[in-house]
Amino acid sequence: MDLLVKSVVEGNVQQVVESSKTHLSSGVDPLDIIADGLVAGMNIVGPRFKSGEMYVPEVIMSAKAMSEGMKILKTFLKDDDLPSEGKIVIGTVKGDLHDIGKNLVAILLESSGYKIINLGVDVSPEEFSEAVHEHQPDVIGLSALLTTTMMEMKNTVDYLSEKGLRNNVKIITGGAPVSAAFSREIGADGYASDAGSAIELVQSLLKND
Ligand code: B1M
């Protein structure tokens, strides 16, 4: 499985596809290939990105390699075979169109076993609220890159509180202008400065549930 892990880390799509097929044809359980190969590889990528050893384009290639491997392996799985650590709705708040960082956070959370519902950009408090009703997530992730849209995070937190939707869901925030202090001030449950920290934050919030 070492070659598969290495290929994910290196973002080598072709090698990941070939190696996944080789393991399948040797009779390895697809779930083991996912856990010990694809996820194990992304578990190396997350901390390396956090520590600055890997950069955005490299993480995107690793994620692409992982998802190409997943495409092959998923055809051998039943829908409920894949274990889920929890469900996360994520989006960039209203008025804000920046999504590169938010998508990276989504990618790394997904590769850590969370089911991600990515609402995209320019997401209003009402749309977050609808997503809570529809998907019943464990966590809502709010991203903002503009100082002018940071207050939409507060509006979203307030709206969800008003609608009585805070009981079973944690709200986390992130994005360049956001800070832990701001996040606390607006009543969110946590703040992460980068994608690697977002994984640790979600794990600790859901563990304490
Ligand atoms: Co814009 N932009 N931009 N921009 N843009 C910034 C953010 C800016 C700092 C540039 C500058 O002036 N130096 C500035 C904001 C200034 C401010 O508010 N203080 C700015 C501006 C002003 C604007 C416009 C207003 C420009 C204009 O039109 N006059 C406009 C606004 C449009 C809008 O949103 N309504 C605008 C537009 C754009 C583009 C569309 C051209 C493009 C976005 C494309 C896209 O995202 N699809 C863009 C870009 C690319 C940038 C910069 C250059 C790069 C942002 C980025 O992707 N970084 C940015 C300057 C910069 O940061 N150097 C800038 C890489 C990414 C991996 O990092 O997004 O920080 P980041 O994500 C990190 C963390 O923040 C964190 O984890 C990520 C990964 O580690 N994180 C989370 C993010 N979300 C998280 C959520 C979490 C947890 C962690 O939990 C839920």
Side-chain angles (χ1 to χ4, degrees):
M1 211 61 85
D2 288 355
L3 178 62
L4 182 54
V5 173
K6 183 169 170 275
S7 311
V8 171
V9 175
E10 289 173 354
N12 186 335
V13 177
Q14 197 187 340
Q15 187 61 59
V16 166
V17 168
E18 276 168 24
S19 186
S20 299
K21 285 181 179 166
T22 307
H23 286 300
L24 272 175
S25 54
S26 322
V28 184
D29 186 327
L31 277 178
D32 291 337
I33 307 176
I34 292 171
D36 302 337
L38 302 182
V39 174
M42 286 306 285
N43 283 344
I44 295 174
V45 172
R48 283 197 186 167
F49 176 62
K50 188 180 173 193
S51 69
E53 275 174 82
M54 281 179 81
Y55 297 103
V56 174
E58 294 167 308
V59 177
I60 290 172
M61 280 317 289
S62 292
K64 177 157 177 46
M66 173 174 177
S67 79
E68 290 302 316
M70 280 296 278
K71 270 188 208 160
I72 293 162
L73 296 165
K74 265 186 176 168
T75 57
F76 293 87
L77 298 173
K78 292 195 289 293
D79 267 0
D80 51 4
D81 269 353
L82 275 178
S84 171
E85 298 289 327
K87 212 187 273 180
I88 302 175
V89 161
I90 191 166
T92 304
V93 295
K94 189 173 167 185
D96 200 319
L97 302 177
H98 296 85
D99 67 355
I100 298 169
K102 181 262 298 169
N103 288 343
L104 265 182
V105 172
I107 285 168
L108 288 189
L109 283 168
E110 186 168 35
S111 64
S112 299
Y114 297 95
K115 182 169 170 33
I116 303 294
I117 295 108
N118 192 337
L119 300 181
V121 296
D122 192 20
V123 183
S124 66
E126 293 79 4
E127 287 168 305
F128 277 110
S129 161
E130 279 162 25
V132 173
H133 283 297
E134 186 181 345
H135 302 288
Q136 318 231 311
D138 303 289
V139 175
I140 297 176
L142 307 179
S143 178
L145 260 288
L146 299 171
T147 43
T148 49
T149 55
M150 281 167 70
M151 285 319 283
E152 279 302 329
M153 289 184 152
K154 178 172 172 7
N155 293 342
T156 305
V157 172
D158 288 349
Y159 188 82
L160 294 171
S161 301
E162 277 163 29
K163 297 286 168 191
L165 295 174
R166 293 289 305 273
N167 296 341
N168 299 315
V169 66
K170 305 282 185 198
I171 302 180
I172 67 165
T173 66
V178 184
S179 66
F182 174 79
S183 190
R184 263 195 309 276
E185 222 169 89
I186 64 169
D189 298 295
Y191 157 80
S193 59
D194 55 70
S197 312
I199 297 172
E200 288 163 18
L201 174 64
V202 167
Q203 283 169 341
S204 83
L205 285 172
L206 296 187
K207 195 172 67 199
N208 297 334
D209 233 9

